[in-house]
Amino acid sequence: EDLGYESLWRSDHFFSLMGRPERNALETFVSLTLAATETTRLRFGPLVAPMTFRSPALLARMAAGIDRLSGGRFVLGVGAGWNVPEHEAFGLPFPPVRDRMDMLEEGIQVLRALEGSGKANFAGKHYRLNDAEMHPKPLQSPLPLLIGGGGEQRTLRLVARYADEWNLPGATPERMREKTAVLEKHCEHERRDPSTITRSVMAGFVIGGDDAAIARRVAALRDILPTLGHAASADLLASVRGRGWLVGRPADVVDQLGALADAGVGRVMLQHHNQQDHEVLELIARDVMPRLTSA
């Protein structure tokens, strides 16, 4: 917040997916409660909360409370769930994709019903409400809803139908344009103006002031993310760049962010893998953010 970043986001998992499951991590909504009380300006939220993890009624209660605690700065990011080993390890049901997508849509409907006034009733295949009343309500009405993913048949249809923001992880400008074209077709079917949906991406990054700094960060990331492998640094950087990472010196990254903006992206979430590297956050705040039209 002091460095001027616009928002702060947390992945929602039962164990770290960064190659080291033993890595400590606060439960997502515990950390978001802390963010609500320890910050004053940042918008924040989960990126994203799988509907397979919690009852949507519980999710609605937690989201409303955190929004109240933050003075109305919370964004609720939701998804269908995808990580099989995580579900198996903790005994969480992992239905087929069609059922998970149905659960996501019904869950969103439950969330919206509980935000409304009076008693909420809902009878779906997966969830039910019987004269349910939720208090307190979120301070924002309705609570901003982010849906993550790029599935063309169901996910983007749900984005067109319900979302205030759509997040496409690891998107290159080309991929964003391709998926946006599909989203616009769904918006036409839903009779919704696609410009009312904010587009965002989650992007890994390797940024340094010079080649030596970039090399140091690559070495640190290899230790944190063993899945990066042992390819030569130049090959590795080219590979992750093709997967939507921001790579290079500050001027290079400004150009890459500009290309995303030209593709319709309004917000970029930096996937900060090396959380001990505070210097890179200062570098971005100093040498990248001031050169953008909107930080």
Side-chain angles (χ1 to χ4, degrees):
E1 187 170 69
D2 291 342
L3 289 173
Y5 286 88
E6 180 264 347
S7 55
L8 177 66
W9 303 85
R10 270 295 316 273
S11 61
D12 187 14
H13 291 288
F14 275 70
F15 54 70
S16 173
L17 304 185
M18 295 299 102
R20 301 184 184 280
E22 71 277 8
R23 184 179 181 182
N24 287 330
L26 285 176
E27 193 280 328
T28 299
F29 280 80
V30 171
S31 67
L32 295 174
T33 303
L34 182 65
T37 57
E38 293 292 326
T39 64
T40 60
R41 176 187 56 78
L42 288 172
R43 298 192 68 77
F44 64 98
L47 196 68
V48 289
M51 204 60 72
T52 51
F53 280 6
R54 307 170 187 88
S55 155
L58 174 62
L59 188 61
R61 285 273 295 156
M62 294 191 299
I66 292 174
D67 193 52
R68 284 275 173 180
L69 288 172
S70 70
R73 295 181 286 118
F74 186 66
V75 178
L76 179 56
V78 294
W82 62 273
N83 188 262
V84 175
E86 184 174 30
H87 289 75
E88 291 177 342
F90 287 88
L92 301 172
F94 190 77
V97 63
R98 176 178 294 181
D99 290 338
R100 297 201 311 276
M101 295 306 301
D102 289 344
M103 290 168 64
L104 177 58
E105 181 160 19
E106 284 191 16
I108 292 169
Q109 292 170 342
V110 167
L111 293 166
R112 290 306 191 210
L114 289 170
E115 288 180 7
S117 60
K119 297 179 179 180
N121 289 278
F122 180 80
K125 178 181 177 182
H126 300 280
Y127 306 115
R128 298 184 66 86
L129 297 173
N130 296 299
D131 290 341
E133 293 188 71
M134 184 177 74
H135 299 288
K137 306 291 186 185
L139 195 60
Q140 301 174 91
S141 181
L143 188 70
L145 184 71
L146 178 152
I147 296 178
E152 296 186 359
Q153 293 186 11
R154 291 291 303 274
T155 301
L156 293 182
R157 189 174 76 200
L158 295 183
V159 170
R161 188 172 293 170
Y162 299 107
D164 301 290
E165 182 170 347
W166 163 47
N167 183 264
L168 187 61
T172 62
E174 295 75 20
R175 185 165 181 257
M176 176 57 70
R177 288 190 178 93
E178 292 170 359
K179 296 292 185 179
T180 295
V182 177
L183 175 62
E184 289 175 347
K185 291 180 181 178
H186 286 299
C187 285
E188 183 179 1
H189 183 265
E190 297 291 333
R191 298 183 180 180
R192 181 171 183 190
D193 180 355
S195 69
T196 62
I197 302 171
T198 299
R199 294 95 189 268
S200 60
V201 302
M202 177 180 69
F205 64 94
V206 184
I207 302 173
D210 53 36
D211 291 346
I214 292 172
R216 288 196 302 272
R217 293 202 164 100
V218 168
L221 285 171
R222 287 187 197 274
D223 183 59
I224 295 167
L225 302 173
T227 54
L228 289 178
H230 303 285
S233 292
D235 293 336
L236 173 62
L237 292 175
S239 174
V240 297
R241 178 77 183 91
R243 302 202 300 266
W245 285 41
L246 303 171
V247 174
R249 301 188 183 197
D252 302 320
V253 172
V254 169
D255 290 342
Q256 292 160 30
L257 289 169
L260 286 170
D262 290 343
V265 175
R267 175 185 278 145
V268 175
M269 292 82 155
L270 301 173
Q271 195 170 15
H272 189 33
H273 293 105
N274 184 4
Q275 295 176 18
Q276 303 306 311
D277 187 358
H278 303 296
E279 182 182 336
V280 73
L281 299 180
E282 295 171 356
L283 173 69
I284 294 167
R286 183 183 67 243
D287 294 344
V288 175
M289 287 162 52
R291 300 174 66 177
L292 305 176
T293 56
S294 177

